[in-house]
Amino acid sequence: MSSVTAVYPGSFDPPTLGHLDLIARGCRLFDRLIVGVLRNSEKTPLFSVEERVQMLREICRCWPQVEVQEFDGLLVDFASRVGARAVLRGIRAISDYEYEFQMAWMNRRLAPELETVFMMPAEAYSYLSSRLVKEVFQLGRPVAELVPPEVEARMHAHGGGPQVHG
Ligand code: PNS
């Protein structure tokens, strides 16, 4: 069977342990996994796209089959450019389904040859989202168990998080 490339797209602002868990699962299924960071997905991002790409490259350096790229425009066009046959998306709870199904159906309409593959993260990350991580951090609580250490360090470097004493 020929090798299969998949795209794992998202905003990744910031990358969480849930994202990392999905990437690890994707690596077991696909020969090549392109993590695609969408440019301009949020009006007031915590991290620039360049910072997100850099962090994801650091976090994913242990997986030779993972590449991290930024993209703009339609996901289906990006997938076609990198030769992907599948899009990987994480589904955490029933509440994710509506949005994910809408996207998957639209992407299928735009590119019928591209399959969307949904995977569940580990149960421990089923409640985790970048939005909540940002909120918890900005309101002064630690996020060490929610994001990779590289990301936590950068969040602290940005400021606005919990005060570290001693
Ligand atoms: O992590 P997110 O923010 O849920 O990821 C959403 C993302 C980046 C997958 C989605 O917004 C996307 O694919 N945007 C690119 C534009 C596009 O293709 N839109 C039509 C999809 S139906």
Side-chain angles (χ1 to χ4, degrees), residues 9-12 38 71 73-76 89 99 102-103 106-107:
S11 308
F12 303 105
L38 179 66
F71 78 101
L74 284 176
L75 172 61
V76 292
R89 290 289 289 173
Y99 170 60
Q102 272 184 350
M103 276 205 304
M106 182 57 80
N107 285 335

Side-chain angles (χ1 to χ4, degrees), residues 22-33:
L22 247 281
I23 293 169
R25 287 171 200 279
C27 282
R28 287 187 224 134
L29 212 58
F30 303 110
D31 303 290
R32 190 166 156 248
L33 187 63

Side-chain angles (χ1 to χ4, degrees), residues 24 26-28 30-34 60 62-67:
C27 282
R28 287 187 224 134
F30 303 110
D31 303 290
R32 190 166 156 248
L33 187 63
I34 317 287
C60 297
C62 55
W63 291 297
Q65 68 271 53
V66 174
E67 282 169 42

